[in-house]
Amino acid sequence: NAGVTQTPKFQVLKTGQSMTLQCAQDMNHEYMSWYRQDPGMGLRLIHYSVGAGITDQGEVPNGYNVSRSTTEDFPLRLLSAAPSQTSVYFCASSYQGGRNEKLFFGSGTQLSVL
Amino acid sequence: AQTVTQSQPEMSVQEAETVTLSCTYDTSESDYYLFWYKQPPSRQMILVIRQEAYKQQNATENRFSVNFQKAAKSFSLKISDSQLGDAAMYFCAYRDRDDKIIFGKGTRLHILP
């Protein structure tokens, strides 16, 4: 099983460029989310989704857009990259049967914005 | 908004000893879920243990146990018989009724041989 797949694993952008971080899961999980991890800041929730067609903002949504057109995919879009968005990004998913379900994480995307 | 606080950025423990990592959270809700995740240098996130707020009994998973104090909004993780493989970042997480999952800033645990 592939689990949660994030692409790319590494990316370097110039300030002002746009890009999409891809996240796909093959476990039929309704719940998907995006986090960014910065040194000393832990994981901060960017956006999350409890099912196709439903998205909601997390703790740090500014500068990021998401959509959830299918159960499997939850892309994260940076419309105009800024150096403050340099971070490691994690996508995570879980079964929505109960709120004690664990999160399955992707392997992360290391993003540098110059 | 809910917040999760891990007051110990780093801790060290001797191999085979016991260590407790602290976590406090702020919420006005009565129904929520708490988790501890481990992140080794591989960056992989691994669930260690979970606790439902409505359960009074503290969760245990082998050498890992929690001390859940709902009134104090405290959720500490105890690791018994520490092993070298326990060295990692440990994150406390809170899931609210709207399914927002918030993490603390983490505690880096060092195991001394």
Side-chain angles (χ1 to χ4, degrees):
Chain A
N1 287 340
V4 179
T5 303
Q6 288 184 238
T7 55
K9 294 191 183 305
F10 302 93
Q11 183 71 48
V12 179
L13 291 178
K14 294 181 179 178
T15 297
Q17 286 185 318
S18 63
M19 80 158 296
T20 299
L21 306 186
Q22 301 291 346
C23 177
Q25 52 87 14
D26 62 356
M27 297 172 282
N28 203 31
H29 285 169
E30 296 94 338
Y31 184 90
M32 296 186 75
S33 54
W34 277 103
Y35 290 88
R36 59 178 290 174
Q37 184 175 17
D38 303 290
M41 297 301 293
L43 283 84
R44 291 182 290 172
L45 180 64
I46 304 172
H47 286 285
Y48 66 105
S49 169
V50 298
I54 305 168
T55 63
D56 218 333
Q57 294 184 350
E59 302 170 275
V60 288
N62 292 341
Y64 307 95
N65 282 350
V66 292
S67 60
R68 185 91 182 273
S69 56
T70 68
T71 299
E72 295 78 18
D73 300 296
F74 192 44
L76 180 71
R77 297 182 185 85
L78 285 71
L79 297 179
S80 179
S84 60
Q85 294 178 305
T86 293
S87 188
V88 178
Y89 291 84
F90 286 97
C91 179
S93 72
S94 77
Y95 177 57
Q96 194 65 352
R99 287 188 286 124
N100 65 340
E101 295 290 338
K102 73 172 185 178
L103 286 171
F104 290 77
F105 284 82
S107 57
T109 296
Q110 176 96 49
L111 176 67
S112 295
V113 182
L114 306 178
Chain B
Q2 294 90 356
T3 57
V4 176
T5 302
Q6 294 181 248
S7 59
Q8 306 147 316
E10 284 194 71
M11 293 191 71
S12 296
V13 64
Q14 209 74 34
E15 194 176 3
E17 295 295 308
T18 295
V19 64
T20 298
L21 309 183
S22 62
C23 172
T24 59
Y25 55 93
D26 186 24
T27 184
S28 58
E29 299 179 347
S30 60
D31 182 22
Y32 51 86
Y33 296 80
L34 298 163
F35 306 82
W36 278 98
Y37 282 87
K38 167 185 176 181
Q39 186 182 44
S42 66
R43 232 165 53 177
Q44 179 187 12
M45 292 289 287
I46 303 164
L47 176 68
V48 175
I49 200 165
R50 57 190 142 189
Q51 174 84 39
E52 295 87 347
Y54 63 84
K55 288 188 178 178
Q56 293 185 338
Q57 186 172 6
N58 289 324
T60 62
E61 289 286 345
N62 301 314
R63 297 183 295 107
F64 299 88
S65 61
V66 298
N67 183 4
F68 174 49
Q69 301 288 328
K70 191 172 184 178
K73 297 178 185 176
S74 172
F75 183 60
S76 60
L77 174 69
K78 185 171 84 171
I79 306 174
S80 304
D81 185 25
S82 297
Q83 301 175 359
L84 294 177
D86 295 333
M89 281 289 289
Y90 285 81
F91 293 100
C92 179
Y94 169 101
R95 184 168 188 164
D96 70 12
R97 60 184 177 185
D98 295 324
D99 293 311
K100 185 178 292 186
I101 305 174
I102 304 298
F103 284 78
K105 293 184 178 181
T107 297
R108 183 172 299 281
L109 179 64
H110 303 277
I111 310 296
L112 306 173

